[in-house]
Amino acid sequence: MPRDPDEAAKLAALDPYALRAEGLDHPLPPAHLGRALFHLNQRRGFKSNRRTDKSNNEGGLIADASARLDQAMMAAGARTYGEFLYLRRKSAEDPRAVPAVRTRINPHLTKENGKAEPGYDFYPDRHHLESEFRKLWAAQARDNPELTGELGDLLFETIFHQRPLRAPAVGRCLFLPEPRLPKAHPLTQARTLYETVNMLRVAVSGQSKRRLSREERDKIILALNNRKILASPGKNVMTLSAIGKEIKLRAGETFSLETTNREAIACDPVRMSLAYADRFGPQWSTLTVDQQWELIRRLRDEQDGEALVLWIMDRYGVDRERARAIADSPLPEGFGRLGETATRRILNVLIGGTSDQEVPTYNEAVSFCGWDHSRFGTGEVLDRLPYYGQILDRHVLPGTGEDSHDDVTRFGRITNPTVHIGLGQVRRLVNRVIEVYGRPHEIVVELARDLKMSEEQKRELAKTNARNQKAAEKRSQKLIEELKIADTGANRAMWPAAGFVDTKIRS
């Protein structure tokens, strides 16, 4: 940048797109090259990766638009993205037209299938800008010996370096001092499935409900794990009536969980996703838990999509198309409540039973392991409300445990900032009330659902919830099967505004 203000003003007035294009063929003064590179730096954008793209539909839109940009650059004979924009604006009726150089959403973009859907006409990926830097620097270095390779590498690092995403902190297990397992871990899914099935009760009018026998339970688990895998995750369930047929329930026998808002049991979503025919297929069931987790961990944590595809091809000997399908397999997000050691111990009890029950419930399995699943605090009476992390130690991210640190750092905190702030406000308010009026004699907790509803009102509410649930499942199926985007709350909220409206689903 020239030191003289007038010269700097003249430099800033130059067309950076013209400099980025002309620099490929003609020597530029150093200040002009700097102007072009500074312009490139301003527009480098965030380098997306698998972890950021899979949380919303933007990743798919950008990937499609990036491929369209490659085709448009080839058609225009543009060697770089900057030259493409320069030629695009040069051919526009207004040479300074903003739309010519900006990527904007096109609500009526025509796809290859002939449908008009929202999308970008073109969108640069980070590799477009990195490639332009290399080509522009190489062209200018031919006529300027001061533009060394070392200087180019330094500027490239300055412009394009981006720190990798930091892994989120993981909370502690409810029972042991160990981190919680991800929901996508095969052990977590197995524990959840056995917990759910073990809770089933067979009811007959006028008689007490009975538990499943171990033989009945094992037949249900086998049926759920061998259910035909469908392309739509929302359909990978078994209705309770179908489960009843598996264990040959007699006439008049029903499951006690068979209510208006619970009519089916979901299969293992991880198995259903990875054992799908176009992904891993039946081979998935032959892998050990550790072998399955090796792949799942890669699918969850790897940020570089191309590196992941190459690893899958090398590790499992599949072609690129199948490796890409495996890499894009949807998996549950987040973490469960238990760590690996606790999960294994509880799962063994759920499967093998206890001395009292062949098919124990979750709380019975926890008690058999020597833990208390409902323990909160130690029961002493306190003069003031302490910091919530001190009481809910099993429900917060772990702290340092150092007495010299503040409460949040020492005991940990809940990750949701709204809940964290709200609990802090409750603590301050209650403690202030205690200071003025003394400890309360009674505390009333107001629940969101009215406890005074009649049985008829409760049935109507259950029917409404069931209708809403089915409507949400249809919207999810539409997003996944027709729009090919992630089924997230943000996408369900966004797509109706963009013209995606199904009157049956909306009603």
Side-chain angles (χ1 to χ4, degrees), residues 45 127 204 295 307 377 402:
H127 78 269
V204 180
L295 173 62
E402 297 291 337

Side-chain angles (χ1 to χ4, degrees), residues 264-304:
I265 292 180
C267 304
D268 179 346
V270 175
R271 182 181 179 278
M272 290 292 133
S273 178
L274 288 168
Y276 183 58
D278 291 343
R279 296 167 189 154
F280 228 96
Q283 184 187 354
W284 177 253
S285 300
T286 66
L287 301 181
T288 65
V289 169
D290 291 338
Q291 290 172 334
Q292 291 177 347
W293 176 235
E294 178 189 23
L295 173 62
I296 293 170
R297 186 176 65 247
R298 285 273 189 160
L299 297 181
R300 293 179 73 254
D301 300 337
E302 180 61 66
Q303 298 186 25
D304 188 333

Side-chain angles (χ1 to χ4, degrees), residues 345 349 353-356 363-371:
R345 289 177 60 180
V349 178
T354 67
S355 55
D356 297 325
N363 59 308
E364 291 170 343
V366 170
S367 298
F368 186 81
C369 292
W371 301 313

Side-chain angles (χ1 to χ4, degrees), residues 92-105:
E93 295 182 4
D94 179 2
R96 303 295 295 182
V98 171
V101 295
R102 284 192 180 175
T103 55
R104 298 188 175 214
I105 199 76

Side-chain angles (χ1 to χ4, degrees), residues 68 120 159 163 168 203 224 255 332 334 345:
R68 282 193 291 272
Y120 296 102
I159 294 175
R163 291 185 297 273
L224 288 167
F255 287 119
R345 289 177 60 180

Side-chain angles (χ1 to χ4, degrees), residues 150-197:
E150 292 78 6
L151 179 59
D153 291 340
L154 176 62
L155 283 175
F156 183 89
E157 179 74 6
T158 301
I159 294 175
F160 295 109
H161 173 71
Q162 179 172 298
R163 291 185 297 273
L165 295 178
R166 184 170 61 181
V170 180
R172 285 182 298 190
C173 171
L174 293 181
F175 307 119
L176 296 174
E178 61 179 356
R180 300 182 177 190
L181 278 181
K183 291 181 179 178
H185 198 290
L187 290 175
T188 302
Q189 290 300 322
R191 176 182 59 79
T192 301
L193 189 61
Y194 273 93
E195 277 183 32
T196 304
V197 176

Side-chain angles (χ1 to χ4, degrees), residues 74-249:
M74 292 179 59
R79 293 161 290 180
T80 65
Y81 179 57
E83 186 178 31
F84 168 76
L85 293 178
Y86 175 69
L87 295 174
R88 178 182 172 90
R89 195 171 67 177
K90 190 176 180 181
S91 62
E93 295 182 4
D94 179 2
R96 303 295 295 182
V98 171
V101 295
R102 284 192 180 175
T103 55
R104 298 188 175 214
I105 199 76
N106 182 349
H108 306 295
L109 183 67
T110 303
K111 307 281 282 188
E112 293 182 1
N113 57 12
K115 292 184 178 180
E117 298 177 357
Y120 296 102
D121 290 314
F122 64 91
Y123 203 105
D125 198 351
R126 177 66 73 88
H127 78 269
H128 290 105
L129 301 179
E130 292 177 350
S131 174
E132 179 175 354
F133 177 94
R134 294 297 190 192
K135 291 179 180 180
L136 184 59
W137 188 266
Q140 293 300 304
R142 288 194 296 265
D143 300 298
N144 190 340
E146 294 183 357
L147 303 181
T148 63
E150 292 78 6
L151 179 59
D153 291 340
L154 176 62
L155 283 175
F156 183 89
E157 179 74 6
T158 301
I159 294 175
F160 295 109
H161 173 71
Q162 179 172 298
R163 291 185 297 273
L165 295 178
R166 184 170 61 181
V170 180
R172 285 182 298 190
C173 171
L174 293 181
F175 307 119
L176 296 174
E178 61 179 356
R180 300 182 177 190
L181 278 181
K183 291 181 179 178
H185 198 290
L187 290 175
T188 302
Q189 290 300 322
R191 176 182 59 79
T192 301
L193 189 61
Y194 273 93
E195 277 183 32
T196 304
V197 176
N198 284 10
M199 283 293 295
L200 287 173
R201 297 289 181 268
V202 178
V204 180
S205 180
Q207 300 181 21
S208 299
K209 299 174 184 177
R210 70 170 179 85
R211 297 178 185 239
L212 297 174
S213 67
R214 184 180 296 188
E215 181 183 3
E216 290 174 328
R217 191 276 312 276
D218 292 344
K219 285 183 178 180
I220 294 173
I221 294 290
L222 184 64
L224 288 167
N225 283 335
N226 288 278
R227 177 167 174 75
K228 181 180 179 181
I229 299 174
L230 305 174
S232 174
K235 295 182 179 180
N236 290 316
V237 298
M238 281 193 72
T239 63
L240 294 182
S241 59
I243 292 175
K245 294 177 181 178
E246 290 289 335
I247 61 174
K248 297 180 172 56
L249 287 182

